[in-house]
Amino acid sequence: MSASASEIIDPAKVHLWDRGHHGHDVIGTRTFGFWLYMLSDAMIYAALFASYGVLSHVMNMAGGPMPGDVIRPGYAFGETLALFTSVLAYGYAMAALRQGRAGGVAGGLLGAMIFGAVFLGLVGKDIGDLFAQGITPERSGYLSIFFTLVIYHALHIVVGLLWMLVMLVQLVREGFTGNVVYRLVNLKLFWHFQAVVWVFVFVFVYLQGVIA
Amino acid sequence: MLVNLQGPWSPLLGRLAVSQIPYENPILVGTFVLVVALGMAILGAVTYYGKWGYLWREWLTTVDHKKIGIMYILVGLVMLLRGFVDAAMIRSQQAMAVGPDSAGYLGALHGYLTPFHFGQIYTAHGVIMILFAATPILVGIMNIIVPLQVGARDMAYPYLNAVGLWLTTAGAALVMTALFIGDFAHAGWFGNLPLNELPYSPGVGVDYWIWAFQLSSVGTTLGGINLIATIVKMRAPGMTWMRLPMFTWASLSANIISLTSFPVLTVSLALLSLDRYLGTHFYTAGMGGNLMLYNDLFWIWGHPEVYFVILPAFGMLSEIIPVFSEKTLFGYTGMVLASFGIAGVSWGVWLHHFFTMGSAPDVNAFYSVSTMLVGIPTGVKVFNWLFTMYRGRLRFELPMIWACAALFFLLVGGMTGMMNAFTTNDYMVHNSVFVVAHFHLMLLLIVYAIFGAVNFWFPKVFGFKLNERWGKWFFWLFTAGTATVFIPMFTLGFMGMTRRLDYIPYAQWQPLLDAEMAGIVLYSLSAVYLVAQLYVSLRDRALNRVGADAWGTSRSLEWATPSPVPFYNFAYIPHVNARDEWAWRKENGIAQLRHDRYEGIHMPKNTGVPLVLGALSLVLAFALVWRMWWLAALCLAGIVILVIMRSFAKDTDYIVSPEEVKRVEDALWAGTHARGTEAEGGRGRGAVGGGLSPAHSPSAPK
Ligand code: HEM
Ligand SMILES: [Cu+2]
């Protein structure tokens, strides 16, 4: 596409430098990078789900507990409700952010944290109950991937809660600075993403476990 | 403890004990003494010349993409040397341990390396060359060049960039640690299962291998995010997609591969570590494990990875060839599509690494065909390069000869790859040294492109050219080494020699193995010429200074800023008007136009946090290898706290004053202008370099 040499370019008019360049859109760039990070995390989940598919045949139970023995869809539905309420609360925080109400954002964050903690507690109790019955990851290939998938998701929730705590402190200390805003936006993406992943866990692990 | 460890474990030191230090192995002790002596010499020199402050301020804490790139390349070069020593040991063992009568030394039955030691060496060789030599060097070059080519002042996330560097360095350091404390994995670079499970590999070697992989995997993923965001978000005004330089396109496609495939590697190794640390049953032979899951996950990363390393190499060829053919790149759009075609296909071929595992014939057939599909976009690229050269004004300067040789290796490596892609054929050659020769030629093509790129962009980064005479000697000796090692290796592969043999029962293979050894001698000799080239270039740098447009016929945006590039890259962000912007400006006689006044520039501040994060990750990985749980927990907590603290930092940027910019620019351009005209005049190429007169521009094909 090189311009032809015969074209006449007037040196006085040609636009060669971008004077008064005021940098790139920081929030947009940071959020884009966070999407990319989530893509890589999505690949991790994809690999784990694929492994779950590979390791959920009868031979992978190794004569141990079957999906029906470890999965309680009703209970998991309760977990789902807790997580979605948390996401809803976060959505409230984002609405308040748009209106510039710091108090609303803090309240939304607190609500999201409480329901996130409830979710975590439910998952923890579920796993604890299974462990108490001797249903542990070392028992079979199937249980290995089952616990890995659930715990990997729960770890994200732990990170999310920690992040919210940090954001609460930063919000109080700094108000709506560029850094705080882009982090709140990224945290929103993160939190919604975990909810979406949970839907997959619920469908492929819990519902499918019941059908199988 | 959830798993049965062989050997003692204590809460304080984990599995670490004095007996884990291989002090009775003369080879390792010798290496240790050498490494320590070298390290002391370097540290001593830094102290003696009082350079600690400089080192800390200018390098260890830098967030400048060019310096980070240089450090990536230095790490890669050090590891390249280490990997080469491993290769020399493999070759010498295979030259010595041939036939039942061959002598044995140092406790080995034949040759001088015991099977366990030999296994560690070839494993380390593969891991190091792919993950800690080729990848860092390529990432380093992308780091330096991509922001310049898109007209940006730095990467999208300079701080994250430094984190990636130090994580990769931590991985390299971990591999080096394995040399002197404990041992390394012995089951091949891609890991054979269930051999790598705890009962069969009870030592720490596999753990070293896992964590070194993981560190570099995280580092590369972060780098991938950064490069993609830089290309998508940081392009200068006017730099539309179809004006992007080809190296940038190649980097984009490569990093999309790395971003999507490295996480799968992370999973494949994380599940293995769960098996080894917590006693789960992902890949075990019994209890419901499935070891084919490992092969699939690993190669779902493994094959895209080979294209992750080759696409930037293709990009380098696409930059070098037009400059030394004095023409635009032929078939730009086709080239872009081919890059993404290759990236796309690379996802659907992984099963060709285990055709012999006995999948159903239709499954093998599918992957056989998909593998061969890669040939189409690759062929498009090869022809585009050839048509670029066709009727061009060819100059065989250093970058160009490396590029041309790379094309040759692409041909041989690609053809032999096609041979492997036939399942029927692969049943014969799988796990033979034929396959080894195939992928070495492919990887050598990358090495050739890298050497071409280093010669090509060195003047941009440092302001002077590398010596041509010594460089050509290096090229020819290196090429002679390549031929002498790999032609016999193909032959032996056809004769049925399997890979990874620590003892070769057939004495009649001796001559070919000796020839391969001779090739290693040539390689070693060539390294001397490389060092000489660097030394002579540095010594005579005053004579070899270049202007902004180091080659006189350069085309893309990075040549529009002075050499060496000022730390802010562009005093003004350029406004891009054409593909091959610099060539366009030269053709229109406006390349010499400069600014009359300057504006302040917003830059990120240096920070020591990434270095500390890297150090903590190294200790974390070390603690995990030796199962020192308290130390691992401490490091992890340290990392989390540091990341949170950093998020509170406010003082992260500063403004470079217009006066400072003017001072730097004046100094850089003052020298450049005089040198520029002199250099071009000397070569008698009219106005190409200065671009002062559009009349005799040779680079305006239609
Ligand atoms: C782009 C550069 C390439 C690189 C860096 C590369 C690298 C490799 C590596 C590392 C292996 C060996 C894996 C192992 O067993 O340890 C391999 C095997 C193979 N390569 Fe390539 N390759 C490249 C291109 C190609 C091409 C173009 C083809 C075919 C169109 C191809 C087909 C194969 C096949 C079929 C195997 C499996 C052979 C076997 O293990 O039996 N490769 N390649
Ligand atoms: Cu492959």
Side-chain angles (χ1 to χ4, degrees):
Chain A
M1 216 204 273
S2 126
S4 85
S6 55
E7 207 172 302
I8 309 292
I9 303 282
D10 178 359
K13 294 221 184 75
V14 66
H15 190 174
L16 293 181
W17 313 102
D18 194 41
R19 287 178 198 279
H21 182 85
H22 289 307
H24 299 265
D25 153 29
V26 174
I27 295 183
T29 307
R30 302 256 159 139
T31 307
F32 179 73
F34 199 74
W35 275 105
L36 293 177
Y37 151 73
M38 287 203 305
L39 176 63
S40 75
D41 203 23
M43 291 306 300
I44 291 191
Y45 277 119
L48 287 176
F49 278 113
S51 305
Y52 186 85
V54 170
L55 291 175
S56 49
H57 299 278
V58 173
M59 68 169 188
N60 304 109
M61 320 285 165
M66 309 285 279
D69 305 329
V70 290
I71 280 164
R72 290 186 289 161
Y75 188 88
F77 187 66
E79 295 171 2
T80 313
L81 286 183
L83 189 58
F84 274 64
T85 314
S86 171
V87 169
L88 200 68
Y90 199 95
Y92 174 76
M94 292 315 281
L97 175 68
R98 205 153 295 142
Q99 297 157 358
R101 289 189 295 114
V105 176
L109 277 178
L110 262 179
M113 281 175 75
I114 291 169
F115 281 99
V118 170
F119 171 84
L120 213 53
L122 289 174
V123 173
K125 178 166 180 337
D126 195 17
I127 293 176
D129 287 351
L130 291 174
F131 276 21
Q133 299 168 39
I135 300 180
T136 57
E138 305 95 279
R139 179 60 192 83
S140 71
Y142 167 72
L143 289 176
S144 299
I145 187 67
F146 170 77
F147 282 109
T148 303
L149 195 49
V150 172
I151 292 175
Y152 184 66
H153 180 263
L155 279 178
H156 280 82
I157 302 297
V158 173
V159 172
L161 291 185
L162 193 64
W163 191 354
M164 286 183 203
L165 192 66
V166 173
M167 287 324 296
L168 266 181
V169 176
Q170 292 194 342
L171 185 67
V172 172
R173 280 176 54 139
E174 300 172 19
F176 291 130
T177 59
N179 271 345
V180 169
V181 171
Y182 95 75
R183 284 175 192 149
L184 283 172
V185 173
N186 285 356
L187 181 51
K188 171 191 79 175
L189 297 175
F190 182 80
W191 207 236
H192 283 66
F193 179 59
Q194 300 318 323
V196 172
V197 170
W198 177 257
V199 172
F200 280 90
V201 176
F202 188 69
V203 171
F204 286 113
V205 178
Y206 289 90
L207 288 189
Q208 196 153 300
V210 175
I211 296 164
Chain B
M1 206 58 21
L2 291 159
V3 290
N4 291 321
L5 284 180
Q6 289 182 23
W9 178 86
S10 71
L12 186 62
L13 287 180
R15 308 179 78 186
L16 193 56
V18 181
S19 59
Q20 295 284 355
I21 296 170
Y23 49 79
E24 52 328 76
N25 184 325
I27 302 173
L28 289 176
V29 171
T31 320
F32 183 70
V33 171
L34 202 74
V35 169
V36 169
L38 255 165
M40 293 303 255
I42 294 174
L43 296 188
V46 172
T47 314
Y48 181 79
Y49 292 106
K51 289 285 184 194
W52 279 110
Y54 165 79
L55 201 63
W56 176 260
R57 275 190 315 275
E58 296 293 321
W59 295 93
L60 299 180
T61 61
T62 190
V63 291
D64 179 336
H65 72 101
K66 299 174 290 298
K67 287 185 177 163
I68 288 177
I70 292 170
M71 286 189 280
Y72 260 118
I73 295 174
L74 285 178
V75 171
L77 284 177
V78 170
M79 296 312 279
L80 189 71
L81 183 70
R82 157 82 203 272
F84 177 71
V85 174
D86 288 335
M89 290 174 84
I90 299 172
R91 289 265 58 80
S92 50
Q93 167 75 10
Q94 288 197 337
M96 285 166 77
V98 189
D101 301 329
S102 52
Y105 309 93
L106 301 177
L109 219 48
H110 299 278
Y112 66 107
L113 298 171
T114 58
F116 183 57
H117 192 184
F118 186 75
Q120 293 177 49
I121 292 176
Y122 65 65
T123 305
H125 169 74
V127 172
I128 287 173
M129 284 308 204
I130 293 188
L131 283 165
F132 296 111
T135 306
I137 296 180
L138 290 169
V139 171
I141 296 178
M142 291 192 273
N143 238 299
I144 298 174
I145 300 303
V146 166
L148 291 173
Q149 285 198 330
V150 301
R153 292 218 167 100
D154 208 318
M155 299 276 267
Y157 321 110
Y159 162 76
L160 195 69
N161 202 12
V163 175
L165 166 72
W166 293 113
L167 285 179
T168 309
T169 311
L174 194 69
V175 177
M176 294 307 281
T177 312
L179 205 53
F180 308 122
I181 308 176
D183 47 51
F184 200 63
H186 59 118
W189 78 276
F190 57 77
N192 277 303
L193 282 170
L195 182 54
N196 265 343
E197 291 281 1
L198 196 60
Y200 319 110
S201 299
V204 292
V206 177
D207 302 320
Y208 266 121
W209 171 82
I210 289 177
W211 296 113
F213 247 109
Q214 294 289 38
L215 283 176
S216 103
S217 167
V218 176
T220 313
T221 312
L222 294 182
I225 291 178
N226 214 337
L227 278 160
I228 296 176
T230 304
I231 297 171
V232 174
K233 288 286 186 183
M234 305 287 282
R235 279 169 294 136
M239 180 61 90
T240 56
W241 284 107
M242 289 319 261
R243 285 180 185 163
L244 271 191
M246 196 49 71
F247 180 71
T248 300
W249 270 120
S251 303
L252 182 63
S253 57
N255 282 294
I256 290 176
I257 298 182
S258 80
L259 182 65
T260 44
S261 70
F262 269 91
V264 184
L265 172 73
T266 303
V267 171
S268 76
L269 293 174
L271 299 188
L272 176 61
S273 33
L274 291 179
D275 276 4
R276 287 181 62 90
Y277 283 81
L278 301 179
T280 54
H281 290 283
F282 287 103
Y283 308 136
T284 50
M287 297 298 285
N290 185 339
L291 50 89
M292 278 311 290
L293 177 63
Y294 175 80
N295 286 325
D296 277 299
L297 288 178
F298 187 90
W299 286 113
I300 285 177
W301 163 76
H303 191 87
E305 158 70 13
V306 308
Y307 283 96
F308 167 62
V309 287
I310 208 163
L311 281 168
F314 285 170
M316 294 166 185
L317 301 184
S318 301
E319 294 292 334
I320 294 171
I321 290 173
V323 169
F324 294 97
S325 307
E326 305 190 7
K327 280 172 66 183
T328 40
L329 185 68
F330 183 91
Y332 177 92
T333 314
M335 219 58 157
V336 174
L337 292 178
S339 295
F340 282 84
I342 291 175
V345 174
S346 78
W347 269 93
V349 302
W350 77 88
L351 195 130
H352 68 215
H353 291 275
F354 42 91
F355 279 144
T356 52
M357 291 286 196
S359 314
D362 45 352
V363 174
N364 272 359
F366 175 86
Y367 284 94
S368 173
V369 172
S370 66
T371 301
M372 285 184 242
L373 278 182
V374 182
I376 299 173
T378 313
V380 167
K381 283 188 171 265
V382 172
F383 281 107
N384 280 349
W385 290 319
L386 293 182
F387 286 133
T388 305
M389 288 193 242
Y390 180 65
R391 306 191 72 177
R393 197 177 302 171
L394 297 180
R395 300 204 315 271
F396 290 97
E397 294 188 45
L398 278 177
M400 187 64 167
I401 54 174
W402 285 106
C404 289
L407 280 187
F408 175 75
F409 290 120
L410 173 58
L411 197 66
V412 184
M415 295 295 197
T416 49
M418 288 294 161
M419 292 166 72
N420 295 337
F422 287 95
T423 13
T424 41
N425 195 47
D426 191 59
Y427 268 71
M428 313 292 258
V429 296
H430 180 58
N431 266 347
S432 76
V433 293
F434 181 83
V435 170
V436 178
H438 149 68
F439 68 76
H440 275 86
L441 282 196
M442 277 300 180
L443 293 161
L444 274 161
L445 129 69
I446 296 165
V447 172
Y448 273 69
I450 287 175
F451 278 124
V454 167
N455 278 295
F456 184 57
W457 279 309
F458 189 92
K460 185 79 257 168
V461 179
F462 293 102
F464 59 95
K465 279 189 188 176
L466 287 174
N467 182 287
E468 176 123 11
R469 217 165 66 86
W470 291 90
K472 285 207 164 145
W473 270 99
F474 169 52
F475 169 81
W476 285 112
L477 278 169
F478 191 86
T479 306
T482 305
T484 322
V485 171
F486 290 102
I487 294 174
M489 196 181 286
F490 276 122
T491 318
L492 281 169
F494 276 136
M495 291 162 79
M497 179 170 158
T498 47
R499 63 200 290 190
R500 299 178 177 156
L501 294 179
D502 67 300
Y503 165 67
I504 291 135
Y506 305 112
Q508 63 269 37
W509 288 349
Q510 183 80 60
L512 287 169
L513 290 163
D514 286 343
E516 290 186 28
M517 190 60 216
I520 290 291
V521 174
L522 286 172
Y523 269 140
S524 315
L525 203 62
S526 79
V528 176
Y529 281 80
L530 172 62
V531 174
Q533 183 198 16
L534 293 177
Y535 170 75
V536 171
S537 313
L538 201 64
R539 191 192 60 196
D540 300 344
R541 61 184 180 278
L543 303 176
N544 298 321
R545 294 247 177 241
V546 292
D549 187 353
W551 301 101
T553 51
S554 318
R555 312 189 64 83
S556 41
L557 202 52
E558 74 268 29
W559 305 101
T561 185
S563 322
V565 183
F567 64 93
Y568 46 75
N569 291 0
F570 299 95
Y572 276 107
I573 295 292
H575 184 99
V576 179
N577 300 282
R579 184 184 297 165
D580 288 346
E581 170 76 6
W582 181 241
W584 178 83
R585 291 189 187 187
K586 287 190 290 186
E587 280 159 24
N588 290 295
I590 47 177
Q592 81 288 4
L593 291 183
R594 288 187 46 217
H595 347 275
D596 39 7
R597 60 198 158 79
Y598 294 99
E599 292 167 355
I601 294 176
H602 185 142
M603 294 296 287
K605 267 193 180 163
N606 283 3
T607 160
V609 175
L611 181 65
V612 179
L613 282 180
L616 282 174
S617 314
L618 175 60
V619 181
L620 170 64
F622 184 80
L624 286 171
V625 167
W626 292 98
R627 301 177 194 233
M628 296 180 220
W629 306 126
W630 64 272
L631 186 57
L634 210 65
C635 289
L636 194 63
I639 291 173
V640 172
I641 291 172
L642 199 59
V643 169
I644 292 179
M645 273 168 52
R646 162 80 191 180
S647 78
F648 280 90
K650 288 206 201 73
D651 186 23
T652 52
D653 312 77
Y654 70 110
I655 304 278
V656 189
S657 69
E659 298 76 48
E660 168 78 1
V661 177
K662 180 166 166 43
R663 201 181 53 72
V664 175
E665 288 284 302
D666 285 348
L668 283 170
W669 286 103
T672 294
H673 211 71
R675 284 197 304 271
T677 23
E678 180 194 312
E680 269 89 48
R683 221 189 296 112
R685 288 203 182 277
V688 187
L692 295 171
S693 141
H696 20 149
S697 162
S699 46
K702 286 263 51 197

